[in-house]
Amino acid sequence: MSLISASCNRQQPAQQADDFDYVVDHFADIEVLRYKVPEFENLTLNQKILVYYLTEAALWGRDILWDQNNAANLDIRRMLETVYTSYDGPRDTDDFKAFETYLKQVWFGNGIHHHYSTDKFTPAFSRSFLEEQLAALPADSVPANSAELVELIFNPALAAKRVNQAQGADLVATSANNLYAPGLTQAEVEAYYAGIKVPNDSTPISYGLNTRLARENGRIVEQQYRIGGLYSDAIEHIVENLDSASNYAENPAQKQIIRSLIDFYTTGDLATFDRYSIEWAEDTASRVDFINGFIESYGDPLGMTGAWESIVNFKNNEASERTEILSGNAQWFEDNSPVDPRFRKPEVKGVSAKVITAAILAGDAYPATPIGINLPNANWIRAAHGSKSVTLENITEAYDAASQDDGSREEFVPDQATRDLMAQYLFITDNLHTDLHECLGHGSGQLLPGVDPDALKEHGSTIEETRADLFALYYLADPKMVELGLIDSPEAYKAQYYSYLLNGLMTQLRRIEPGKEVEESHMRNRKLISEWVFEHGKADNVVEIEKIDGKTYLKINDYEAVRRLFGELLAEIQRVRSEGDYATASALVQDYAVKVDPELHAEILSRYAPLNIAPYRGFVNPVYTPVRDAEGRITDVTISYPENYTEQMLRYSRDYNGLKH
Ligand code: ZN
């Protein structure tokens, strides 16, 4: 029971005023924060050096992601940075300020598309401003294709969307990412994979995870990301630092994991990646841990190719007591879930969960980053070898600290009692939601024999996130949470329920531009759940939308009924996933997750505007500096937080220029 006080104590640091400046920049729809890395100083010297080399391996992959996102991204970034750093005109003109904002947006999106909506950014500076700046530069610092790049920036019809998910469109041909060569169609890509997939394979490789598809001599070929293949230069730097890191591994198992990853980067062989993933999933003993590779496939409209990312971290031992309790009871949660017993796992294998402290964010996890991660992604590995689930608590603490008193609760939560409940319990229930989602939700349930894991196609990500969220929401209200000492009040879950439905039904719309639909899979999942519960509770007035003085508010009349509805929807979503029921998945997404009420949307945007809250946030990283003795041996690694956003971006572009053209 000591955990109750432990978790309550952990709420305090975020609420205490401290002199750490969390907010470092604010532009367009973005706020950039810093995060602390508590306890780094207390790691052993070996662990610090291990972290140092792993962070170097992380930073060297940056340009891979930029190129994956769009083939022109690196050229455009270099061109914009050259203009920016050589500019000596007045800095207070509208053109220059808009140019600077655009460059900051491009940095944040790891390219010319918004990291979340994947829409191409619209520059607010004039084309002639950029052309004049380019004309004034020495010829050898202007790229030969600069006219083309300028056209790409300014012509809204070109590369309009990085990941197009629109129903009925050719998702490959209309997506501007660089995962498929120009000219390829969705039908060709699907036919190609259908042709190489081994039927009834119980241990399938992650097809396409580390490849760009292209056409050569009329045939479709996979261009592998590996040493000697695509992105070889950057991968060589990654491998060099992984190799150095391996000398400081905490134990032989961790050394082997790093060697396997190096093998994968060297050969590109996806069976080797699976071997690495199994070794990685099974290592729960090391304190320092990392993700480094082609991992999540949200950037691919077909969900095949992994975006490059890296996160280096170490275990937060005290806070991990919470997730260890959850994973220690994983079988109880599985056995008591409201889904058809046929779809439950008879035996939950090795769900390992921990709370971690992020030491560096890189690639697709930078500057915007997840707060919870569950890997590996391959279903059969999760079933046979378990998965590792983490909550990034120094990141959630930074969010929480930066959100104190931003005015949004006063605006959107009408009654004081609910606001008080949220003030008291939202931080802990947010963290528990993430723990449950990652550690138990994604790992729960099973596919029926013979069901293709990709059967839900473009709705796969949304349905999977829906499933994990529902699992978390359902159990947050379970008496088991109090019994296990994870929460000290049976009322605490209400803070999370209110906040979740408010977000899903209303406030997340602030992230959508007027006239657009909901596209990103996590946003779709939150809307799907919230709209479904609202509609299915209508007859009993479970959840009400009320108007007070012309403003829309959410009112929950029956929290227990909300929980029952979460359980019912979880049962249905699990059935859809277990049976691979594409038609129902598609209908649920279309009916509940996509369409935006324009009137409500306009109201939300206008109520947020005066609060001046950025809808998206991301981070700058700390700086790790090795201290060396006269022989060059590292005797310590120091951590500091000296850089602002622009300084960090320019330094990364200069020092980790992994893909020279
Ligand atoms: Zn998830």
Side-chain angles (χ1 to χ4, degrees):
M1 295 304 256
S2 65
L3 197 70
I4 293 174
S5 58
S7 38
C8 292
N9 284 342
R10 278 203 325 283
Q11 289 185 60
Q12 286 167 3
Q15 288 167 357
Q16 281 163 359
D18 62 39
D19 47 16
F20 188 82
D21 285 328
Y22 285 93
V23 180
V24 296
D25 209 341
H26 193 149
F27 52 89
D29 55 354
I30 302 292
E31 186 175 64
V32 182
L33 309 177
R34 292 188 301 169
Y35 59 93
K36 290 183 190 175
V37 186
E39 296 227 21
F40 176 77
E41 287 86 352
N42 299 335
L43 296 176
T44 65
L45 177 59
N46 254 32
Q47 287 170 331
K48 286 183 191 173
I49 300 174
L50 174 62
V51 166
Y52 169 70
Y53 283 119
L54 290 173
T55 61
E56 288 293 301
L59 296 174
W60 272 110
R62 178 175 182 241
D63 287 1
I64 295 176
L65 179 75
W66 281 70
D67 193 75
Q68 285 185 300
N69 282 346
N70 183 271
N73 274 339
L74 287 171
D75 284 346
I76 288 180
R77 186 185 80 201
R78 287 168 188 145
M79 180 176 81
L80 297 175
E81 287 176 350
T82 304
V83 168
Y84 183 75
T85 53
S86 20
Y87 182 80
D88 57 3
R91 302 178 85 84
D92 57 353
T93 63
D94 288 347
D95 263 334
F96 180 78
K97 284 194 281 191
F99 173 75
E100 186 175 44
T101 295
Y102 179 79
L103 176 57
K104 287 181 176 184
Q105 288 180 290
V106 170
W107 280 329
F108 200 91
N110 292 295
I112 56 175
H113 299 92
H114 192 279
H115 72 288
Y116 209 79
S117 72
T118 81
D119 292 327
K120 196 170 71 168
F121 295 119
T122 306
F125 56 96
S126 65
R127 187 169 179 148
S128 59
F129 170 83
L130 180 57
E131 285 168 344
E132 280 160 26
Q133 298 308 315
L134 289 167
L137 288 170
D140 63 349
S141 56
V142 178
N145 59 344
S146 66
E148 231 171 274
L149 301 177
V150 171
E151 176 69 9
L152 184 52
I153 291 171
F154 283 94
N155 183 344
L158 295 177
K161 197 143 189 94
R162 177 161 61 80
V163 188
N164 187 18
Q165 300 274 27
Q167 189 93 354
D170 181 324
L171 304 184
V172 167
T174 58
S175 292
N177 63 42
N178 186 26
L179 308 176
Y180 301 96
L184 290 181
T185 67
Q186 182 177 355
E188 283 177 300
V189 170
E190 285 175 348
Y192 170 79
Y193 282 117
I196 62 166
K197 278 192 180 176
V198 179
N200 301 318
D201 184 356
S202 60
T203 59
I205 56 167
S206 300
Y207 289 96
L209 188 71
N210 63 335
T211 54
R212 176 178 187 267
L213 242 53
R215 202 194 315 269
E216 285 174 15
N217 303 319
R219 287 180 42 238
I220 291 189
V221 295
E222 293 187 59
Q223 300 172 330
Q224 283 186 324
Y225 308 146
R226 61 174 164 78
I227 289 182
L230 226 49
Y231 306 141
S232 187
D233 293 352
I235 292 174
E236 283 167 45
H237 285 290
I238 294 170
V239 164
E240 185 191 329
N241 283 288
L242 288 175
D243 191 51
S244 300
S246 73
N247 296 324
Y248 299 90
E250 291 181 64
N251 50 60
Q254 189 178 49
K255 195 180 180 88
Q256 176 56 43
I257 291 165
I258 300 174
R259 302 305 326 167
S260 295
L261 181 57
I262 292 173
D263 282 353
F264 169 61
Y265 275 132
T266 308
T267 63
D269 176 25
L270 284 167
T272 303
F273 181 71
D274 286 343
R275 176 163 59 81
Y276 154 77
S277 298
I278 291 166
E279 290 165 359
W280 179 83
E282 290 181 342
D283 173 26
T284 53
S286 308
R287 181 157 190 210
V288 174
D289 204 351
F290 68 101
I291 297 160
N292 183 308
F294 303 97
I295 309 291
E296 302 291 356
S297 53
Y298 304 110
D300 178 353
L302 303 185
M304 312 290 290
T305 302
W308 193 90
E309 72 166 79
S310 183
I311 294 179
V312 181
N313 64 83
F314 55 92
K315 186 172 174 182
N316 176 337
N317 289 328
E318 191 198 326
S320 292
E321 284 177 43
R322 190 179 73 213
T323 49
E324 277 154 14
I325 289 176
L326 285 180
S327 54
N329 289 275
Q331 193 67 52
W332 183 91
F333 285 97
E334 185 75 5
D335 294 347
N336 288 277
S337 92
V339 312
D340 187 320
R342 290 184 303 140
F343 308 142
R344 290 184 199 144
K345 274 202 179 93
E347 202 186 333
V348 181
K349 284 225 178 68
V351 181
S352 112
K354 59 185 174 181
V355 177
I356 60 169
T357 301
I360 207 105
L361 309 168
D364 203 28
Y366 170 86
T369 194
I371 53 171
I373 302 168
N374 182 318
L375 292 171
N377 278 329
N379 275 303
W380 68 267
I381 296 180
R382 303 160 80 94
H385 302 275
S387 63
K388 270 201 293 213
S389 156
V390 300
T391 304
L392 288 73
E393 196 148 299
N394 60 328
I395 299 297
T396 62
E397 274 181 352
Y399 279 139
D400 192 63
S403 304
Q404 297 297 322
D405 311 320
D406 67 10
S408 60
R409 263 178 225 164
E410 284 68 21
E411 177 59 39
F412 289 98
V413 185
D415 69 298
Q416 189 61 42
T418 306
R419 288 211 291 265
D420 289 347
L421 203 63
M422 289 166 85
Q424 195 172 0
Y425 288 115
L426 197 54
F427 180 68
I428 180 66
T429 56
D430 270 348
N431 279 328
L432 278 169
H433 178 107
T434 308
D435 297 340
L436 284 161
H437 173 115
E438 299 294 345
C439 134
L440 300 180
H442 279 308
S444 74
Q446 63 179 358
L447 302 183
L448 290 185
V451 171
D452 179 353
D454 300 326
L456 303 181
K457 293 191 247 183
E458 75 272 25
H459 303 305
S461 299
T462 298
I463 295 297
E464 180 54 23
E465 294 311 320
T466 302
R467 199 173 73 88
D469 260 3
L470 284 166
F471 197 96
L473 290 165
Y474 178 78
Y475 276 118
L476 263 176
D478 201 285
K480 191 80 175 174
M481 302 303 285
V482 178
E483 191 188 306
L484 291 172
L486 295 164
I487 266 178
D488 64 4
S489 160
E491 305 286 296
Y493 78 93
K494 294 179 181 174
Q496 179 68 200
Y497 276 24
Y498 191 90
S499 149
Y500 191 94
L501 292 179
L502 177 66
N503 189 39
L505 290 168
M506 295 171 51
T507 50
Q508 73 167 353
L509 292 176
R510 77 186 190 278
R511 298 172 157 210
I512 306 276
E513 283 177 36
K516 297 252 159 79
E517 296 191 322
V518 178
E519 296 177 17
E520 197 277 337
S521 44
H522 295 80
M523 284 183 75
R524 281 189 170 181
N525 118 55
R526 293 177 202 127
K527 186 164 163 65
L528 195 166
I529 292 172
S530 306
E531 298 280 2
W532 191 95
V533 164
F534 176 66
E535 186 171 308
H536 287 74
K538 236 178 195 164
D540 301 321
N541 206 21
V542 172
V543 178
E544 236 178 294
I545 298 290
E546 54 178 6
K547 288 266 187 191
I548 304 173
D549 298 334
K551 288 182 177 179
T552 310
Y553 293 95
L554 168 73
K555 195 172 166 207
I556 298 182
N557 293 316
D558 186 344
Y559 278 93
E560 283 168 33
V562 172
R563 186 189 185 216
R564 277 197 303 278
L565 291 166
F566 283 150
E568 276 172 39
L569 183 57
L570 174 57
E572 173 64 356
I573 291 286
Q574 184 61 57
R575 182 196 66 73
V576 165
R577 177 99 177 93
S578 293
E579 295 179 349
D581 180 353
Y582 175 81
T584 303
S586 179
L588 281 168
V589 171
Q590 292 308 318
D591 291 348
Y592 297 105
V594 178
K595 290 179 215 90
V596 175
D597 171 354
E599 211 171 302
L600 177 65
H601 191 190
E603 181 196 324
I604 300 294
L605 293 176
S606 76
R607 285 166 72 184
Y608 262 103
L611 300 177
N612 199 24
I613 302 169
Y616 302 98
R617 291 192 290 200
F619 294 89
V620 292
N621 285 311
V623 177
Y624 298 90
T625 311
V627 180
R628 295 177 192 271
D629 66 13
E631 279 81 52
R633 282 184 303 246
I634 300 178
T635 56
D636 196 9
V637 178
T638 61
I639 182 170
S640 56
Y641 308 87
E643 289 173 312
N644 68 29
Y645 176 67
T646 298
E647 288 162 347
Q648 182 152 95
M649 288 295 173
L650 289 173
R651 179 171 67 88
Y652 284 179
S653 296
R654 188 183 67 232
D655 292 356
Y656 302 96
N657 184 9
L659 299 172
K660 297 194 178 71
H661 279 204

